[in-house]
Amino acid sequence: MLTVTLDAVTTAALLFIISSGLLIVFGVMKIINFAHAAFVTVGAYAALVGSQLGLPWVLVVPLAFATGALCGALTEATIVRRLYQRPLDAILATWGLGTVIGQLITLIFGREVQFVQAPITGTVDLFGIDYSAYRIVLIAAAVIVAVVFTMLLNGTRLGLSTRAVIMNEMLAQGLGVDSSRVRLITFAIGSGLAALSGALITPLSSVDPNMGVPWLVSAFMLVMVSGGSLLTLAVSCILLGGLQVIVSTFVNPILGGLTIAICAAIVLRIRPEGFARA
Amino acid sequence: MPDARPLSPAAATQFGVSRRWSAVLLAILVAAGITLAPLLLDTYMINILIRAFFVAIAAITVDIVWGYCGTLTFGQSAFFGIGVYALAIIFTEYGFGSWQILLALATAVIAAAAVATVTGWLSFYPGSTPLYASIVSLVVPIVLVQVLYSGGTFTGSSSGLVGFETFDLEFENWFRLAGLCLAAVAVVALIATRSDSGRVLKALRDNDERCTYLGINTSRYRIVVLVVTAIVAALAGFGYAAFGGVAAPENASFTFGTRLIIMVALGGRGTIIGAIVGALSIEVASAYLSGSLPYVWELIIGIALIAVILAFPDGLVGIVKRLMRGVQKKQRGPTTRLRPVAKAAANAEENAVAIEVRGLGKHFGSLSVLDGVQFAARRAELLSLVGPNGAGKTTLIRCLSDGRERSTGFVAIAGHSIDRLPPDRVVQFGLGRKFQAASVFETLTVAECLRVARTHRARPSLITTSTVLELPAAAISVVERSGLADRLGEEARNLSHGLKQALELAMVLSLEPEVLLLDEPTAGLTRAERQAFADILTALASRDRLCILLVEHDLDFVREISSRIIVLHQGKIALDGSVHDIVNSALVREIYTGQQAAASEAVS
């Protein structure tokens, strides 16, 4: 039982890190970045390369973030920026980009599954059971992401501009906020977070060119059901992520993988604002 | 007589006849081509094309849902997969025979329709966004594939089903059958999308909110379209599996779903031909290329998709059309003639209460935007709602037209309580709402916009395009006075701001409303346009006995036309009285000029 609880919390932590990047892009641009899964994969391969080069893990994670952020910035500047007026086309174009990135990775690294050594191995003794130490680290990582995020949004000038753009882009522009810069930076940070989460997943799962895809749909639905705030996203991740773990453990893993998508769709149908306060 | 608009009836018929004959001729040529083609092609090519024909049928369904209705769907592959597996499972379980064929067909159709209904219910409801519908459509094939994976020997799990007995036809005849099926689906789709009903689909894509406020239940329309296209896609899948003798989870996967989108995007969305061109060219090209350079081919497809979206959003067909248009000016179908509709029997009471509001409140948490608003308005009244910015005027309009908006209180339109009903139902009680910013269907012509506005009065045909447009006299008079009558065939996006406003008013009047809500109708109009508007409104109130509620900032305009004025201030009704009383009241001066105490004290 305790193991299930810990599994639920660590899964929620991982889901939170993956979907937070999607959330910030959705908040500012009102689009869902379909290349998010590809950026997760990019981060995982960055971690693979970094660890093969013998870099310490504390450098591998920032390297992954930077690679993702760079890819994100390029994407925003070359593709997404031209499609502001056509949001559905924007998500389709990011989907196309996801395919392109996936194939490029396949061409460079091959399609075989690879493994990255976990930076922390072994188990810790927690409340009387042995539990994977690395998964506990993930909880810390999720908390750090949430704290840094909140500080960025509430404590910096960029955060203020970003919140202004989220609330009312026209007004923000009128007040002299350079909204295209905000969009560029947001997209870069969102993609960086995707890559960061990719790097954090690698010790838990294998690395392959399509590894990001299974996470994508869950992350989409979590963002939709959260209604756009970081706090409700955390709540959604804990509730639905926990449910996923319970279903996977006690019913069947395949159904578990679909739990988030199906539950979120039903929640949204009954309560269109999701978990957000009315 | 508005009847005698351009083009004599004889000419119109002749035009229609020659068009119809050329269409029939084209159909015969295509049929002949399909029948003869197998004699010229090698077996490998025939094999590829048979599959491509079935895939193209699925691509047409994507085009209708996405290109015409505006929902980007990744999920049509799921319905295709349902057709594939319905056949494979039943032939595997029960063998091949005539009742098994019927059972498989019925299963495909019923399962696809059921899944589509659930998907539609989850995707389309008042307040759902196109983005959300798109994500739900992505979930559907993913769920289905997982179900197939966990189905054990029944579904064949990840390796699929193979080795069941199926139809025994010659390659050439399969080719003819599949080709003719594709041609038939294409013809039906072309007729349906060009019919008057097809215009409604485009209207949904252009402006869902305006459709709702024209009394159209947009969610139901979208669900019906999804169910119909799902059935067609399932039948295409049925054919695909019947020919191939294989069912694989890839047939239902979202990868195939996105492949269908790419086909439509490359070929040209919103044109049936584009979907076919895209599907056939990608299927053929990938058959030749994917074997020799698998990853590079996927890479090329991805890059091509991005390039097409950025540079040529209307795809190959769009490029060709643009080149052709240089040569010949595009013709927008037969010309439309206006005809006044026979007026329904005069409504019961000429001075009945048309709007009744009691104890209306709207709160956001602890903030109350409207509080205790209470008034009644009769027919033939022209009531102006004035007040400073933030007084709650637009919110009040919203609460009158959408039952789900208000927090507390009672609203009745033409004697019907609006309860918690969505706008399309409230409109059917006799409400018409004109938005502040002109809200029309940008890619539809003026005549088409007006016809869509008549949808809930005159059911549009699924097959034909009518050349006569029946409108109520009030709408015709707006069309004629504004000069729209000469531009019926022009796309709404090319109209000036003033003409768009007039068009929207004419559309709202086409609903034959008893109550007309107008939100700052004169904003941004020239002086002449404003005067014309004033004349139209007063005529509507006095002659057609409409109850008009108008939000307006221009006090001179209000004074000129109103029969009564309500002043809204900080969410409450501050004054309600005749034009004279209000205009000279101290409060109005205070609100509008800010010279409070001095003036009001001097008066008292």
Side-chain angles (χ1 to χ4, degrees):
Chain A
M1 194 61 227
L2 193 56
T3 320
V4 175
T5 314
L6 283 171
D7 277 349
V9 176
T10 50
T11 306
L14 204 50
L15 284 168
F16 179 80
I17 302 171
I18 293 181
S19 39
S20 59
L22 209 52
L23 177 83
I24 187 72
V25 171
F26 177 66
V28 171
M29 310 199 174
K30 305 292 176 285
I31 64 160
I32 286 283
N33 174 16
F34 272 53
H36 202 75
F39 292 139
V40 169
T41 314
V42 166
Y45 275 90
L48 180 73
V49 171
S51 62
Q52 279 171 354
L53 290 175
L55 291 179
W57 194 249
V58 282
L59 287 181
V60 166
V61 173
L63 171 75
F65 180 86
T67 317
L70 183 68
C71 291
L74 285 175
T75 307
E76 205 279 340
T78 53
I79 299 175
V80 180
R81 178 166 298 178
R82 297 158 201 268
L83 300 172
Y84 284 165
Q85 306 304 322
R86 298 187 271 146
L88 286 184
D89 280 8
I91 64 175
L92 196 53
T94 54
W95 174 266
L97 180 72
T99 325
V100 170
I101 294 176
Q103 297 311 320
L104 284 176
I105 289 176
T106 311
L107 287 172
I108 298 168
F109 294 95
R111 66 187 307 193
E112 55 277 358
V113 173
Q114 309 194 46
F115 293 93
V116 176
Q117 189 61 45
I120 304 168
T121 50
T123 57
V124 285
D125 182 52
L126 212 65
F127 312 115
I129 57 155
D130 284 336
Y131 197 74
S132 155
Y134 185 74
R135 289 189 73 106
I136 301 293
V137 171
L138 285 180
I139 302 176
V143 173
I144 292 170
V145 166
V147 169
V148 170
F149 227 124
T150 315
M151 275 167 44
L152 265 180
L153 273 179
N154 293 318
T156 62
R157 174 122 198 113
L158 174 69
L160 185 67
S161 309
T162 310
R163 281 186 294 148
V165 173
I166 292 175
M167 282 177 201
N168 187 337
E169 180 162 1
M170 297 281 271
L171 184 62
Q173 280 176 340
L175 293 172
V177 173
D178 181 354
S179 72
S180 55
R181 186 168 146 267
V182 169
R183 284 164 176 265
L184 178 70
I185 297 176
T186 312
F187 206 88
I189 292 179
S191 311
L193 278 171
L196 177 80
S197 56
L200 290 175
I201 299 172
T202 47
L204 296 177
S205 75
S206 53
V207 179
D208 71 84
N210 294 315
M211 60 175 288
V213 178
W215 297 92
L216 190 67
V217 173
S218 295
F220 285 166
M221 293 309 275
L222 285 167
V223 168
M224 299 311 285
V225 88
S226 76
S229 98
L230 213 54
L231 185 68
T232 48
L233 180 68
V235 173
S236 322
C237 288
I238 291 170
L239 282 179
L240 296 180
L243 205 57
Q244 170 183 336
V245 171
I246 291 170
V247 173
S248 307
T249 315
F250 298 110
V251 187
N252 109 26
I254 289 179
L255 206 58
L258 304 174
T259 308
I260 292 181
I262 292 173
C263 291
I266 292 170
V267 168
L268 282 168
R269 180 61 181 86
I270 295 164
R271 200 180 137 84
E273 63 272 35
F275 290 147
R277 279 180 300 164
Chain B
M1 273 296 280
D3 224 345
R5 279 289 133 212
L7 218 66
S8 70
T13 337
Q14 212 166 23
F15 179 61
V17 166
S18 71
R19 249 168 76 101
R20 200 168 305 150
W21 276 115
S22 56
V24 169
L25 196 67
L26 190 68
I28 293 171
L29 276 177
V30 168
I34 291 168
T35 319
L36 297 176
L39 306 175
L40 307 170
L41 298 167
D42 64 78
T43 319
Y44 183 59
M45 190 66 187
I46 291 177
N47 194 338
I48 293 164
L49 278 175
I50 295 169
R51 287 166 206 273
F53 286 157
F54 288 119
V55 171
I57 294 177
I60 290 176
T61 70
V62 170
D63 194 20
I64 287 177
V65 176
W66 176 38
Y68 285 89
C69 300
T71 311
L72 178 59
T73 174
F74 295 89
Q76 290 304 108
S77 57
F79 306 122
F80 188 85
I82 286 174
V84 168
Y85 273 89
L87 178 134
I89 290 174
I90 285 172
F91 285 6
T92 308
E93 296 286 313
Y94 305 109
F96 179 76
S98 49
W99 69 266
Q100 288 91 338
I101 297 172
L102 287 178
L103 179 65
L105 269 176
T107 311
V109 168
I110 292 168
V115 173
T117 309
V118 174
T119 311
W121 179 77
L122 285 172
S123 318
F124 309 118
Y125 50 88
S128 75
T129 61
L131 175 65
Y132 177 64
S134 201
I135 290 175
V136 172
S137 79
L138 183 63
V139 171
V140 178
I142 288 177
V143 170
L144 182 64
V145 168
Q146 292 301 334
V147 170
L148 293 175
Y149 273 144
S150 53
T153 50
F154 188 64
T155 58
S157 195
S158 60
S159 47
L161 292 169
V162 69
F164 48 85
E165 193 192 346
T166 179
F167 300 87
D168 187 23
L169 286 180
E170 303 250 340
F171 258 23
E172 287 76 14
N173 290 333
W174 265 117
F175 183 93
R176 289 170 188 134
L177 181 69
L180 291 176
C181 281
L182 172 61
V185 171
V187 168
V188 171
L190 278 171
I191 290 173
T193 51
R194 288 179 183 189
S195 72
D196 291 336
S197 297
R199 309 287 183 222
V200 179
L201 300 188
K202 283 189 172 178
L204 289 179
R205 177 190 66 191
D206 277 6
N207 194 336
D208 195 282
E209 186 182 44
R210 180 73 268 174
C211 282
T212 307
Y213 279 95
L214 291 176
I216 298 171
N217 184 340
T218 57
S219 306
R220 192 190 299 157
Y221 260 84
R222 289 180 189 278
I223 293 173
V224 167
V225 170
L226 188 65
V227 170
V228 171
T229 56
I231 292 172
V232 175
L235 293 175
F238 184 93
Y240 189 87
F243 167 70
V246 183
E250 288 75 47
N251 299 142
S253 69
F254 79 97
T255 318
F256 178 52
T258 45
R259 181 58 57 82
L260 290 173
I261 294 179
I262 294 172
M263 291 167 179
V264 175
L266 289 181
R269 67 183 89 160
T271 60
I272 303 296
I273 305 301
I276 299 173
V277 169
L280 296 186
S281 45
I282 288 191
E283 278 291 299
V284 171
S286 71
Y288 281 100
L289 294 177
S290 67
S292 47
L293 6 118
Y295 307 123
V296 180
W297 169 238
E298 293 287 324
L299 190 67
I300 294 170
I301 293 255
I303 292 172
L305 175 65
I306 299 174
V308 164
I309 290 172
L310 287 177
F312 311 103
D314 39 8
L316 284 173
V317 169
I319 297 172
V320 173
K321 265 189 186 168
R322 223 176 298 163
L323 292 176
M324 301 264 283
R325 204 167 301 169
V327 185
Q328 122 194 39
K329 181 117 176 71
K330 199 189 168 201
Q331 198 129 29
R332 287 287 317 220
T335 326
T336 310
R337 287 173 302 133
L338 296 176
R339 184 198 293 162
V341 70
K343 188 153 173 52
N347 282 327
E349 224 183 310
E350 295 251 295
N351 289 321
V353 173
I355 308 177
E356 192 186 352
V357 180
R358 288 201 306 263
L360 178 75
K362 169 78 180 175
H363 316 288
F364 293 102
S366 59
L367 177 75
S368 73
V369 183
L370 288 175
D371 190 23
V373 171
Q374 193 142 335
F375 68 92
R378 294 179 179 281
R379 303 194 64 173
E381 270 195 279
L382 207 167
L383 185 59
S384 288
L385 194 59
V386 300
N389 284 328
K393 302 184 297 289
T394 302
T395 310
L396 177 56
I397 295 271
R398 218 180 284 143
C399 289
L400 295 183
S401 51
D402 184 345
R404 296 157 310 174
E405 282 283 338
R406 68 188 187 283
S407 313
T408 56
F410 171 86
V411 175
I413 298 294
H416 303 271
S417 162
I418 69 167
D419 206 21
R420 292 279 159 201
L421 296 173
D424 58 284
R425 298 285 306 279
V426 179
V427 165
Q428 292 177 2
F429 294 150
L431 178 117
R433 177 181 175 193
K434 203 202 140 309
F435 292 93
Q436 188 168 351
S439 171
V440 295
F441 303 116
E442 300 282 329
T443 66
L444 265 54
T445 65
V446 171
E448 288 167 353
C449 285
L450 290 165
R451 195 184 299 281
V452 171
R454 293 291 296 167
T455 301
H456 85 294
R457 295 271 174 181
R459 205 173 184 75
S461 160
L462 259 171
I463 300 165
T464 56
T465 315
S466 178
T467 53
V468 177
L469 180 56
E470 289 199 327
L471 292 179
I476 289 189
S477 103
V478 171
V479 170
E480 307 231 300
R481 293 181 62 161
S482 60
L484 281 171
D486 303 325
R487 307 179 64 171
L488 286 174
E490 203 159 323
E491 285 188 18
R493 60 179 157 191
N494 301 329
L495 299 177
S496 71
H497 174 70
L499 278 182
K500 274 190 193 174
Q501 295 280 24
L503 172 58
E504 195 193 2
L505 181 64
M507 285 161 67
V508 172
L509 290 174
S510 301
L511 297 168
E512 301 175 60
E514 279 181 45
V515 176
L516 186 58
L517 305 179
L518 301 156
D519 199 345
E520 298 192 36
T522 65
L525 294 191
T526 64
R527 181 176 286 274
E529 286 171 334
R530 183 177 299 225
Q531 189 53 48
F533 228 96
D535 295 344
I536 290 169
L537 292 185
T538 40
L540 285 173
S542 59
R543 194 189 61 214
D544 301 297
R545 306 200 71 75
L546 260 61
C547 170
I548 303 179
L549 180 66
L550 177 82
V551 169
E552 188 54 73
H553 272 301
D554 182 345
L555 268 188
D556 290 332
F557 185 73
V558 166
R559 180 162 29 194
E560 186 188 336
I561 65 168
S562 311
S563 62
R564 187 176 139 201
I565 299 180
I566 288 181
V567 182
L568 207 58
H569 187 43
Q570 293 175 348
K572 295 192 169 107
I573 291 187
L575 290 169
D576 180 351
S578 73
V579 176
H580 178 82
D581 294 349
I582 303 291
V583 172
N584 295 317
S585 76
L587 183 72
V588 167
R589 249 176 294 161
E590 178 193 320
I591 293 171
Y592 273 89
T593 59
Q595 30 166 260
Q596 46 177 91
S600 55
E601 272 162 26
V603 171
S604 59

